[in-house]
Structure formats: C-alpha cells, structure tokens
Amino acid sequence: MKTKLSFVIPCYRSEKTISTVVDEIRETVKTRKELYDYEIILVSDHSPDDVFSVIEELAKKDNKIIGIELARNFGQHSAILAGFHHVTGDIIICLDDDGQTPPDQMFKLIDCLDNECDVAFARYASKKHSFFRNFGSYINDLMARYLIDKPKELKIMSYFACKRYVVDEVLRYNNPYPYMSGLLLRTTKNIKNVTINHRDRIEGESGYKLSKLISLWVNGFTSFSVKPLRAATFVGATSSVIGFIYGIYIIINKLINPITPLGYSSMMAVFLFIGGIMMIMLGIIGEYVGRIYICMNEAPQYVIRRKVSFPAKSEGGEKKK
C-alpha cells in the first residue's frame, strides 16, 4: 500500500512562482511513484495578486490539488493550520511558494522520519535570504531558544516534514495566535535537521516585512511562554533593590556632607527610568491580558472564503463537486 504525502503550501504574492513549485513536486514524487501517492493543499493567504486564479487552474488540471482562499491575511502560520485541517496523508510536508525550499530534495526530509524522528527540519548550508530576513530569522531563533526551550543546535525552518500524529496534535490548538515552532516543539522532542541546499527566489521578494516579523516574535513569546512575565518581575525587583541602595547612599552622603545639593536632573532621570520600566512591564502584562480576552471571544485562527477541488471523474464521466 502506498504512503500518502500531503504538501501544504501557504501562498502570498506567488502568482508567477507557484506553478513551478507544484510542477517540481509532481516530478519529484514520480521518481518514487511505486511507493508514494500525494496531494497538494495550496492556501492563498488573501494574496493581493491573482494567485488564487492560478491555484484554481492548477486544481482543474490535477485532482490531487486542493485550493483554499482565506477571507483576509491571517499570516503564514494560520494559513499552514488551514491546510493542516484538510490533509489526509500519512506524512505532511510544508514548504514555501517561492521556490527557495527545493521540492526536489523532499525525500531527504521524508527518509529522515523513522522511529527516532517525528519531525525533520531543513538546515541550509548557505541561506539565500536578504540580510533583513536573515537577521529576523536570527532573532526568531534566539527567542525560540530562550523562551520555548528550543535546543541550541536545532534549526527551525519553514521547510519540514512530519508524521501525521504530529499534525493531529497541532490541530488541537484552537487559539487565534498560532506559532508553528512552539506547536511542534511542545508536541515532540524527536526532531532532527537535514542539510539541504537553499535556492534563490524564482521571482519577487519576501513578503515578510518588519511588522510581520514583530508580530511573529510577539506570538512566539506570548503564546507559548510565561518567561517574559518572569523577566518583568525580575526587572522590577532589581530596580527596587537599586532604588533602595541608591536611597541609602543619598542619606549617608547627606549626613557626611550636609551641603551636598539635591539634584533635580538626577531625580528626573531616575523617575523617567523607573517609569519607563513600569510602562514596559504593564505593556507585557497588557499583551497577555489582551490575548486572553481575544481568546475568550473565540476569534478564529482563519476564515475560509472559498475552496476549490476537482475530484477524479466518476464512472459516469461526470465530475463531482
């Protein structure tokens, strides 16, 4: 019996690249067609270009392709979850829509999955991203390491393969702030890296802007860790100790040298410093409280505007819809 592969690809500004990625997936699976069957779930994250029309045409030509369009831009991780809800395969592979994550090396990841490995992430010997994107990835890696206990040697990328039970566990997460790294790391520790060659983009530039990277970082440290709250407590306690010691110093200095003038500027500096720390801590607490409120209102992870699929012809020759 063939093992079924499910490919999940979030699509954004990829009108001119997604067909090439899909074609390469199909050609690569054909090299082991006696062992594997496949399906491809393409999720348009409310892309501003006409990528969903391309997806619809691809689905018409290949009944193994399912197209999903989200009602607004929910972000890459929500788009992946939307795809996860439609997979039927035994092994799930996530990759990008720009051709930088090479489909022709998918079996390196798939072959890595065994009794000791549940998730296989790509590790790039040389990344072809821009400096800005590499810097964002570095910050994200640091946050994952210190906030959600990601092993230092493990590299987490958008190109990965995992077993079906991992996806089933991830889908138990119902809150509106998904963070794929956190969901995978809390599901299993049996994760490995596989070295893969990274490519240049086929066309265009990354859709990750500064605002999206910041949103991703905030999701990471508020959805799966309370360490920022503990850090706020530590900073508050440290500031209190420093303030107490400084107060004792002022008293002693005044007793030793009564003519020492009291400095307005230094007092204002201290007030501004302490006030700034308090506002940061309140902001962190407010972020957590706000997310609790939104989760209580059951805000959706994503909203599907439409879905297209064209099953194989029945015996009567008509297509089912």
Side-chain angles (χ1 to χ4, degrees), residues 210-225:
L210 180 60
S211 59
K212 287 189 176 183
L213 286 173
I214 292 175
S215 177
L216 177 64
W217 298 336
V218 172
N219 274 350
F221 71 70
T222 56
S223 298
F224 295 91
S225 176

Side-chain angles (χ1 to χ4, degrees), residues 53 79 83 113 178 203 249 274 299-300 310 313 316:
S53 294
L113 300 178
E203 186 174 312
Y249 165 76
I274 299 299
F310 297 87
K313 293 182 178 180

Side-chain angles (χ1 to χ4, degrees), residues 8-11 40-46 51-52 55-56 59 65-71 79-87 302-309:
V8 177
I9 307 178
C11 302
I40 304 174
I41 294 92
L42 304 175
V43 185
S44 172
D45 191 17
H46 197 68
V51 66
F52 192 73
I55 292 173
E56 190 169 13
I65 294 177
I66 298 173
I68 298 170
E69 182 182 31
L70 302 187
I80 291 174
L81 279 180
F84 279 0
H85 275 93
H86 292 81
V87 299
Y302 59 86
V303 176
I304 295 178
R305 182 170 180 265
R306 53 178 169 162
K307 172 185 171 183
V308 295
S309 63

Side-chain angles (χ1 to χ4, degrees), residues 74-75 103 129 176 254 258 274 302:
F74 286 86
H129 288 146
K254 188 67 175 177
I274 299 299
Y302 59 86

Side-chain angles (χ1 to χ4, degrees), residues 13-16 18 44 47-57 69 306:
R13 295 186 184 274
S14 54
E15 175 186 359
K16 297 180 179 180
I18 190 61
S44 172
S47 180
D49 62 4
D50 203 25
V51 66
F52 192 73
S53 294
V54 177
I55 292 173
E56 190 169 13
E57 288 301 314
E69 182 182 31
R306 53 178 169 162

Side-chain angles (χ1 to χ4, degrees), residues 120-314:
F121 279 102
R123 183 207 301 269
Y124 305 127
S126 177
K127 297 179 70 175
K128 304 296 183 178
H129 288 146
S130 65
F131 172 80
F132 174 76
R133 181 69 183 274
N134 285 332
F135 175 74
S137 297
Y138 173 74
I139 297 298
N140 190 53
D141 185 76
L142 283 179
M143 291 182 58
R145 189 188 312 171
Y146 292 108
L147 297 179
I148 58 177
D149 299 321
K150 179 190 76 69
K152 182 178 180 179
E153 67 280 0
L154 179 65
K155 298 299 181 183
I156 294 181
M157 302 296 174
S158 58
Y159 193 12
F160 66 90
C162 64
K163 296 179 179 178
R164 178 57 188 263
Y165 96 88
V166 175
V167 168
D168 290 340
E169 183 63 29
V170 166
L171 290 177
R172 293 178 58 191
Y173 181 81
N174 296 317
N175 291 332
Y177 299 103
Y179 182 58
M180 197 54 56
S181 300
L183 289 169
L184 294 173
L185 285 170
R186 81 173 188 175
T187 299
T188 178
K189 298 299 181 183
N190 300 322
I191 303 175
K192 292 182 180 180
N193 277 132
V194 178
T195 301
I196 283 177
N197 296 324
H198 200 220
R199 295 177 179 170
D200 291 319
R201 294 178 64 90
I202 297 175
E203 186 174 312
E205 59 183 13
S206 173
Y208 263 112
K209 305 302 181 184
L210 180 60
S211 59
K212 287 189 176 183
L213 286 173
I214 292 175
S215 177
L216 177 64
W217 298 336
V218 172
N219 274 350
F221 71 70
T222 56
S223 298
F224 295 91
S225 176
V226 296
K227 289 183 179 179
L229 292 175
R230 294 172 182 169
T233 302
F234 174 78
V235 171
T238 302
S239 299
S240 298
V241 172
I242 293 174
F244 179 74
I245 295 173
Y246 185 63
I248 293 176
Y249 165 76
I250 292 174
I251 294 172
I252 294 175
N253 190 46
K254 188 67 175 177
L255 293 174
I256 295 175
N257 187 7
I259 63 172
T260 300
L262 297 176
Y264 172 79
S265 298
S266 60
M267 289 180 63
M268 288 301 298
V270 171
F271 288 154
L272 290 173
F273 176 72
I274 299 299
I277 291 177
M278 291 178 63
M279 292 303 295
I280 290 174
M281 291 189 292
L282 286 174
I284 293 174
I285 295 171
E287 184 67 33
Y288 276 92
V289 173
R291 285 170 178 258
I292 292 172
Y293 174 75
I294 292 174
C295 290
M296 288 177 62
N297 283 337
E298 298 183 350
Q301 292 175 341
Y302 59 86
V303 176
I304 295 178
R305 182 170 180 265
R306 53 178 169 162
K307 172 185 171 183
V308 295
S309 63
F310 297 87
K313 293 182 178 180
S314 62

